[in-house]
Amino acid sequence: MNFPGYVADNLTMIARSKYRVLLLVAAAGCLYILIQFLKPSRAIVESLDFSQIVYDRNGTVLRIALADDEKYRIHTHVDANPLLKEAILLKEDRYFYYHPGVNPVSLLRAFYQTFLRDRKIGGSTITMQVARLRYNLNTRTIPGKIKQILYALFMELSHSKNEILEAYLNIAPCGGNIEGFAPASLIYFGKDITDLTLQEILFLSVLPQNPSAFHAKTPSVENGLAEARQCLFKVWRERHGDSTAAPFDMPLNIGYDVPFHAPHYTTALLQKYDREQKIYGTIDLQLQETVTRLTSRYIQRQKHLGVYNAAVLLVDADNMHVLASLGSADFFDDEIQGQVNGVRSRRSPGSTLKPFIYALAMEQGLIHPMTMLKDAPTSFSEYSPDNYEGDFKGPVKAWEALVTSRNVPAVALASQIKEPDLYDFLYKAGVGNLQDKAHYGLSIVLGSAELSMVELVALYGILANDGVYRELADSYESEEDRAVRPRRLLSKEVCYLVKDILRKNPRPSSGNAAMLQEVDLPVAYKTGTSIGFKDCWAIGLFGHYILAVWLGNFDGYGNPVFNGRSLAAPLMFEIIDSIAPHIEKSTKISLPPERITRIDVCAVSGQIAHPHCLRQIPTLYIAGKSPIAKCRICREIYVDTRTGYRTFRTDGPSIKKQVVEFWPTDLLALFKKAGIPRQVPPPFDPRESLAMLSTTGIPPEILSPLKDTEYILSRSDAAFNDLPLLAHADADVQEVYWFVDEKYIGKAHPDETRYWSLAPGVFKIGVIDDHGRSDYREIRISVDSK
């Protein structure tokens, strides 16, 4: 029941009775007794909803959210600013701590001036104003005024003076939908209530007397506020002496700016911590504004290419705190779906996952940076990748394959790594929404599994933090209670090697290259482009920062210009250039771990060099982990100068020793296609023993049929019932011979395809080269039931 309102209604009735004096005294006594029993324990404003405030890491306000009733209202303690408290008491109620909620002298004076001299003045105490504001009373009528007085008396009996004054500080009208002096301080002056000057305090103190008129911005209103402020200052100076500077000696800069920085970031925090009134974020507003400004300018320069949207995330790798987060190019642009948060939306990462393929391959001892990988047309079960440019380079060093983002070597490595493979690695790193492993197959290497920018940056944080995975923290609340605790997923030696490779990735030609060279800042970065040119990425490690950049369209519309190296990387480096001068030199690079050593490898094969490797180069190497196989390309042979044949004889006047490169036949075909001459080893003398020939060199390798693949015999289309047989062999092989279950099928030149008619069953496919070396593969053929 609305107790004060009920009493007020009855007192109005009593006032009309002939026994009014007696009844009023009795009613007052009953009121006092009832108040003692009904005395509430809750604060006056406890049931009100307050605005949520998001701060940056330095305490700057990023955003003030509206309360449930569409008001800006920030909870403020009564002693938040003692000067403001004093000024309000001087202006509104000098005897606040001495009256019982109603000041009879003030009421009589107000009655006299308003009704007898036609000069309207207020007589309400702060308690009465709180009662009117808190309970939405209409005090322009006599019954309404009686209600206000009763509410004030009731409030004084049930709450302390400081509670009432604190309520006034929080609900006093300050113009528009601003309630309370704390939001008014932020919106009008861009300051916390504790940082106000005397001029600003006096302005806010007189504002509630006519808050709605302030927004009219008419000269009469502004003059009225100035006069009120001047009058209050005179009273202030009387109390504090003449030493106080006049408030009009300096201009009072009053604006109207509701903080609304980093909207995607703050929206996510407000949703995440919907019950917290104050949220302390990790971003740095200065860095946020730098990222926003540079991205906006870059988008403007690229609009003629059809580039309209971007997302950027900057993280401190030391603690994985988010320092800047830009969810789209323009939060308010509906044409680009600007309110979609590109930092948290899942997109194809393109080739940005390739560094982790190489990291896992190094972890499992398959490669080191100089290992020679094969970039040639290759099928992996049902998957046949090609390169972005549509070409193949043949043999390529591992570091070069990663830097130039060659697809075939990456997929080849992905087919070899296991426990964990890339899928297992992503799962352990907490990447969400992953389908079953079979859903992706090897295409996961090239971005078939969608990741958010947050997840991608967390993965690169593993490299930055020497193999330890940590979740990103977007607020100090999440810093204290992260869902996933730090854990090691890679060794620090592997992370060092991968970062060393990525630092060799050349900076794109566009942008201010001179600035980066001037600050001597190493940047380890990788770019990515999704299939269909829907997304392009650049993500880099520099100093103690991780920076990710995405450009694309939220509607999935492709654009050939969306290329990670040519479009995303330049923006990334523009942002890096703006941050680089502020990075301390001591944080720019780290020393290699103890197990990292340097060894000489063959410049041709990348394997451990032996005396026959005429050109040797150094490489970084993980002791006890990196592969130790010796070079198989550079071989010493003996040639009979009389016949030109190779021989197993090592002595004699006609026997000559020489070193020859033995390239596999598929790579020799690529060399030939590219017009690059390669010396082919001379054939053996036909009289040499076949048994001896089979013990040297490299056996052939079957490329088709594929491993672990079941072939389906079609009943409806016989054209699909011929199985291609293909193998590559060592450089000295002229012919290979095909067998099915030891039945001879035919011969072919290495890398020449033969065909065999399919038949249901399980078969053993074999190939033998003309040196007696062989390879075998078992396949299963079933019949299409349709």
Side-chain angles (χ1 to χ4, degrees):
M1 181 178 66
N2 188 344
F3 177 71
Y6 172 78
V7 173
D9 291 338
N10 283 274
L11 285 180
T12 302
M13 181 185 67
I14 290 172
R16 297 168 183 167
S17 172
K18 60 182 180 180
Y19 304 106
R20 61 177 64 91
V21 175
L22 181 61
L23 291 173
L24 283 172
V25 172
C30 294
L31 174 65
Y32 177 80
I33 295 171
L34 286 172
I35 285 175
Q36 300 306 308
F37 286 101
L38 299 174
K39 185 175 181 179
S41 59
R42 295 199 310 167
I44 299 171
V45 296
E46 184 175 335
S47 61
L48 286 177
D49 184 61
F50 285 87
S51 299
Q52 290 181 278
I53 314 175
V54 183
Y55 299 89
D56 83 338
R57 67 190 303 109
N58 301 312
T60 304
V61 175
L62 297 174
R63 183 171 173 181
I64 306 175
L66 289 167
D68 289 344
D69 56 357
E70 301 296 315
K71 300 289 183 66
Y72 289 111
R73 188 186 297 116
I74 300 173
H75 192 273
T76 306
H77 191 268
V78 66
D79 293 319
N81 188 325
L83 294 181
L84 176 64
K85 175 181 176 181
E86 181 180 356
I88 288 172
L89 291 176
L90 282 176
K91 174 65 179 68
E92 298 291 344
D93 195 347
R94 301 183 196 181
Y95 303 101
F96 173 73
Y97 284 102
Y98 305 102
H99 62 65
V102 177
N103 188 332
V105 176
S106 296
L107 284 176
L108 290 174
R109 183 175 64 249
F111 179 84
Y112 173 76
Q113 294 287 346
T114 301
F115 294 102
L116 299 182
R117 302 196 60 180
D118 197 24
R119 183 186 172 203
K120 186 176 181 179
I121 66 171
S124 297
T125 62
I126 286 179
T127 309
M128 292 173 66
Q129 293 184 57
V130 170
R132 175 178 59 84
L133 295 169
R134 182 66 185 85
Y135 300 107
N136 195 26
L137 303 177
N138 179 11
T139 59
R140 295 181 181 275
T141 65
I142 293 178
K145 200 61 159 179
I146 294 175
K147 283 185 179 182
Q148 183 184 24
I149 293 171
L150 287 173
Y151 270 95
L153 294 172
F154 179 78
M155 198 174 289
E156 288 276 351
L157 292 171
S158 56
H159 295 89
S160 69
K161 286 287 187 179
N162 279 343
E163 286 178 329
I164 296 170
L165 183 56
E166 183 172 299
Y168 181 77
L169 292 175
N170 282 282
I171 64 175
C174 291
N177 60 344
I178 303 173
E179 285 193 0
F181 296 102
S185 173
L186 288 170
I187 293 172
Y188 294 138
F189 302 113
K191 294 181 178 181
D192 187 81
I193 195 172
T194 59
D195 299 325
L196 293 170
T197 65
L198 179 59
Q199 296 181 62
E200 294 161 347
I201 286 173
L202 296 178
F203 170 79
L204 292 180
S205 299
V206 302
L207 186 58
Q209 75 177 21
N210 196 0
S212 59
F214 169 67
H215 284 272
K217 294 294 182 183
T218 61
S220 60
V221 171
E222 292 182 355
N223 291 336
L225 287 173
E227 291 176 5
R229 187 158 48 94
Q230 180 67 28
C231 292
L232 179 58
F233 179 70
K234 289 180 180 179
V235 178
W236 182 279
R237 191 163 51 184
E238 289 174 2
R239 173 172 293 193
H240 292 276
D242 295 334
S243 60
T244 308
F248 303 102
D249 290 348
M250 297 179 63
L252 184 62
N253 296 318
I254 305 174
Y256 188 90
D257 183 16
V258 180
F260 196 76
H261 305 290
H264 298 91
Y265 171 81
T266 54
T267 297
L269 286 185
L270 290 171
Q271 292 173 349
K272 186 176 181 181
Y273 303 105
D274 58 343
R275 296 186 179 181
E276 299 289 337
Q277 287 188 10
K278 293 184 178 181
I279 304 170
Y280 297 92
T282 58
I283 74 168
D284 184 307
L285 182 56
Q286 184 176 356
L287 287 174
Q288 177 73 24
E289 291 179 338
T290 298
V291 166
T292 303
R293 181 181 68 256
L294 292 175
T295 303
S296 178
R297 291 176 181 175
Y298 187 80
I299 292 294
Q300 289 297 322
R301 297 199 306 268
Q302 305 299 330
K303 275 190 174 180
H304 69 284
L305 298 174
V307 178
Y308 303 104
N309 212 347
V312 181
L313 184 61
L314 178 66
V315 170
D316 186 338
D318 289 344
N319 48 31
M320 298 305 288
H321 284 183
V322 175
L323 299 177
S325 178
L326 182 66
S328 72
D330 187 348
F331 183 81
F332 299 102
D333 189 345
D334 291 335
E335 291 187 3
I336 64 170
Q337 301 177 33
Q339 295 191 24
V340 174
N341 190 347
V343 169
R344 295 188 175 275
S345 300
R346 296 185 183 279
R347 314 289 297 179
S348 167
S351 296
T352 56
L353 295 180
K354 285 179 181 174
F356 303 100
I357 291 291
Y358 287 78
L360 293 171
M362 291 180 186
E363 199 74 74
Q364 296 174 24
L366 299 177
I367 62 170
H368 54 68
M370 286 294 179
T371 298
M372 189 270 285
L373 302 177
K374 188 185 298 184
D375 185 21
T378 309
S379 293
F380 303 90
S381 188
E382 72 283 358
Y383 188 53
S384 300
D386 55 11
N387 291 308
Y388 174 78
E389 297 86 357
D391 64 345
F392 299 93
K393 289 190 174 182
V396 60
K397 298 292 189 293
W399 74 266
E400 184 183 2
L402 177 53
V403 166
T404 58
S405 201
R406 309 304 291 181
N407 289 342
V408 174
V411 176
L413 288 176
S415 69
Q416 300 174 53
I417 59 176
K418 54 185 177 181
E419 297 179 359
D421 57 16
L422 180 59
Y423 179 94
D424 300 330
F425 179 79
L426 296 178
Y427 184 82
K428 289 181 178 179
V431 172
N433 288 354
L434 286 175
Q435 304 289 333
D436 293 337
K437 184 184 294 189
H439 175 79
Y440 304 107
L442 292 175
S443 68
I444 194 172
V445 177
L446 307 182
S448 62
E450 294 186 342
L451 277 73
S452 69
M453 184 177 284
V454 169
E455 291 170 333
L456 194 58
V457 168
L459 290 175
Y460 275 76
I462 299 173
L463 299 177
N465 289 301
D466 298 330
V468 176
Y469 173 84
R470 297 181 67 184
E471 273 192 338
L472 271 64
D474 52 13
S475 69
Y476 287 96
E477 285 82 355
S478 60
E479 165 67 19
E480 296 174 359
D481 186 24
R482 298 195 193 185
V484 180
R485 296 301 175 186
R487 57 185 182 277
R488 179 167 295 281
L489 295 181
L490 292 172
S491 68
K492 59 183 178 180
E493 292 83 7
V494 163
C495 292
Y496 181 88
L497 292 183
V498 173
K499 288 185 288 187
D500 184 69
I501 292 173
L502 295 179
R503 291 190 190 103
K504 298 175 182 177
N505 199 353
R507 177 179 177 136
S509 57
S510 60
N512 184 2
M515 184 175 182
L516 187 62
Q517 295 169 1
E518 178 184 341
V519 297
D520 188 29
L521 178 66
V523 180
Y525 82 101
K526 183 73 182 72
T527 59
T529 305
S530 68
I531 296 174
F533 302 99
K534 298 177 181 179
D535 312 273
C536 64
W537 299 82
I539 181 165
L541 312 177
F542 63 102
H544 58 90
Y545 297 102
I546 308 171
L547 175 63
V549 170
W550 169 88
L551 291 101
N553 294 310
F554 290 143
D555 60 7
Y557 178 77
N559 185 342
V561 78
F562 291 158
N563 175 278
R565 172 165 289 279
S566 62
L567 188 65
L571 174 57
M572 182 188 73
F573 275 100
E574 284 190 23
I575 297 172
I576 290 174
D577 288 346
S578 69
I579 300 173
H582 308 289
I583 299 178
E584 297 179 6
K585 291 184 177 181
S586 60
T587 68
K588 290 180 181 177
I589 199 160
S590 58
L591 296 175
E594 293 182 0
R595 290 178 60 195
I596 297 287
T597 61
R598 286 185 179 271
I599 64 168
D600 289 332
V601 296
C602 175
V604 175
S605 68
Q607 295 173 312
I608 303 297
H610 53 62
H612 305 322
C613 299
L614 303 181
R615 292 184 299 123
Q616 300 183 12
I617 54 177
T619 186
L620 294 176
Y621 187 89
I622 304 177
K625 180 171 289 186
S626 295
I628 59 175
K630 291 189 175 182
C631 175
R632 301 174 68 182
I633 299 294
C634 301
R635 304 179 202 171
E636 185 180 65
I637 65 172
Y638 294 89
V639 178
D640 190 332
T641 57
R642 294 172 304 176
T643 62
Y645 285 125
R646 287 170 62 189
T647 180
F648 288 108
R649 290 181 293 136
T650 59
D651 296 324
S654 62
I655 303 303
K656 179 184 177 182
K657 181 171 63 175
Q658 65 184 66
V659 174
V660 178
E661 295 177 3
F662 281 68
W663 293 100
T665 53
D666 57 342
L667 294 182
L668 285 174
L670 283 178
F671 289 141
K672 183 178 180 180
K673 183 178 180 180
I676 302 174
R678 281 290 184 268
Q679 180 184 0
V680 178
F684 274 103
D685 190 321
R687 294 172 294 180
E688 293 287 356
S689 169
L690 184 62
M692 295 185 67
L693 293 176
S694 64
T695 62
T696 63
I698 303 173
E701 180 182 354
I702 296 176
L703 302 179
S704 176
L706 305 174
K707 285 183 179 179
D708 305 321
T709 302
E710 181 178 359
Y711 289 84
I712 307 297
L713 183 62
S714 175
R715 295 180 183 273
S716 58
D717 194 343
F720 293 97
N721 291 340
D722 287 336
L723 179 66
L725 305 177
L726 178 65
H728 66 69
D730 208 356
D732 57 355
V733 174
Q734 301 300 314
E735 291 182 327
V736 294
Y737 306 92
W738 288 97
F739 296 84
V740 176
D741 288 342
E742 300 183 359
K743 179 182 178 181
Y744 178 65
I745 298 300
K747 66 179 180 179
H749 187 273
D751 299 307
E752 176 187 351
T753 303
R754 284 195 63 91
Y755 293 91
W756 172 65
S757 296
L758 293 175
V762 178
F763 301 91
K764 185 176 183 181
I765 307 293
V767 64
I768 302 176
D769 65 17
D770 53 16
H771 287 38
R773 299 167 298 209
S774 61
D775 186 25
Y776 291 91
R777 184 164 298 174
E778 189 175 273
I779 65 169
R780 178 181 297 275
I781 301 174
S782 59
V783 179
D784 186 0
S785 59
K786 296 182 181 180

